[in-house]
Amino acid sequence: DAGVIQSPRHEVTEMGQEVTLRCKPISGHNSLFWYRQTMMRGLELLIYFNNNVPIDDSGMPEDRFSAKMPNASFSTLKIQPSEPRDSAVYFCASSLGALRDSEQYFGPGTRLTVT
Amino acid sequence: AQKVTQAQTEISVVEKEDVTLDCVYETRDTTYYLFWYKQPPSGELVFLIRRNSFDEQNEISGRYSWNFQKSTSSFNFTITASQVVDSAVYFCAISGNTGKLIFGQGTTLQVKP
């Protein structure tokens, strides 16, 4: 079975440019999560969706970040405009079932570098 | 608010040694779930175990074992007879009523041959 798929795996962009990260969750999973990992802050939850509906976006750093889930098999995280401090690894994860007790399966991550 | 503390930032052992990774959590929820994830050098996060707050039985899976003690709010992870392939960053995490998974800062384990 395919796991969580993320693209691109690596992204290098210049400050001010728009960046779009993509995620395809595991088929049948009804929850999707976006995380950011940095050395300074560790793993942070940015936003999560349940049945394609955003449930909690309190972790989104600021208005430059937005996320969508137009259907059960696709989600995007967009940063516009990007800044050097956005450089991090962004993970997408999905899970099945009740939110708090379900293990989340992570994608391989997108390493974003903003110069 | 929930919190997970992994006090050990880095641990280095020699192959075949046993090693315990500590995890201490804080929560006000009566029902919660604890997790361990492994992040090998390749970068992906791999689920290892989930334990709910009502089940304090220890669990063993091959060379891995977990000790959950509510009295000390700890959920420690032991690797017996460590191997080089165990080298990774290990994260402890908790989820409660909000459903959010809160991670600790991680412990980097290096197993030397």
Side-chain angles (χ1 to χ4, degrees):
Chain A
D1 287 343
V4 176
I5 299 172
Q6 291 187 247
S7 64
R9 295 293 308 276
H10 301 272
E11 177 79 39
V12 180
T13 191
E14 292 184 350
M15 183 174 64
Q17 296 298 308
E18 177 180 296
V19 175
T20 299
L21 311 181
R22 297 173 176 80
C23 175
K24 177 178 170 55
I26 293 173
S27 178
H29 281 192
N30 59 354
S31 293
L32 183 139
F33 309 81
W34 282 102
Y35 290 88
R36 179 171 67 176
Q37 185 178 34
T38 61
M39 289 294 292
M40 290 297 294
R41 300 175 68 90
L43 271 160
E44 303 174 276
L45 177 66
L46 300 178
I47 184 171
Y48 73 87
F49 296 83
N50 186 246
N51 294 322
N52 312 337
V53 176
I55 302 301
D56 187 336
D57 65 355
S58 59
M60 296 285 262
E62 47 199 273
D63 292 345
R64 298 184 297 106
F65 286 69
S66 63
K68 294 181 180 179
M69 192 164 186
N71 57 63
S73 59
F74 183 66
S75 177
T76 59
L77 178 67
K78 185 177 293 186
I79 308 172
Q80 166 65 18
S82 57
E83 297 182 1
R85 58 190 167 128
D86 301 330
S87 297
V89 180
Y90 291 82
F91 287 100
C92 176
S94 69
S95 70
L96 173 66
L99 206 55
R100 65 180 177 180
D101 67 351
S102 298
E103 57 265 34
Q104 296 178 22
Y105 293 88
F106 284 75
T110 295
R111 182 173 296 276
L112 173 65
T113 303
V114 183
T115 60
Chain B
Q2 297 178 315
K3 183 179 179 181
V4 173
T5 300
Q6 295 179 256
Q8 304 150 308
T9 305
E10 294 184 20
I11 301 175
S12 182
V13 299
V14 177
E15 207 170 20
K16 298 184 183 177
E17 285 186 23
D18 298 348
V19 58
T20 295
L21 310 182
D22 297 333
C23 172
V24 174
Y25 62 90
E26 297 174 28
T27 182
R28 293 183 180 179
D29 296 337
T30 54
T31 302
Y32 52 90
Y33 293 80
L34 298 165
F35 301 79
W36 276 95
Y37 281 83
K38 174 182 180 180
Q39 187 174 37
S42 53
E44 76 277 17
L45 280 141
V46 178
F47 166 77
L48 295 178
I49 191 173
R50 176 191 65 205
R51 174 68 66 196
N52 76 55
S53 52
F54 298 107
D55 183 1
E56 288 193 70
Q57 282 192 347
N58 291 336
E59 181 153 343
I60 298 175
S61 176
R63 295 184 297 107
Y64 294 173
S65 62
W66 291 268
N67 179 253
F68 175 30
Q69 291 193 347
K70 286 182 77 170
S71 60
T72 56
S73 297
S74 64
F75 186 42
N76 296 338
F77 173 30
T78 296
I79 302 174
T80 303
S82 59
Q83 299 177 1
V84 173
V85 293
D86 296 327
S87 297
V89 182
Y90 291 87
F91 292 94
C92 181
I94 187 171
S95 71
N97 292 337
T98 66
K100 290 183 178 182
L101 196 57
I102 307 299
F103 286 88
Q105 285 297 102
T107 297
T108 299
L109 173 64
Q110 183 180 35
V111 182
K112 299 178 180 178

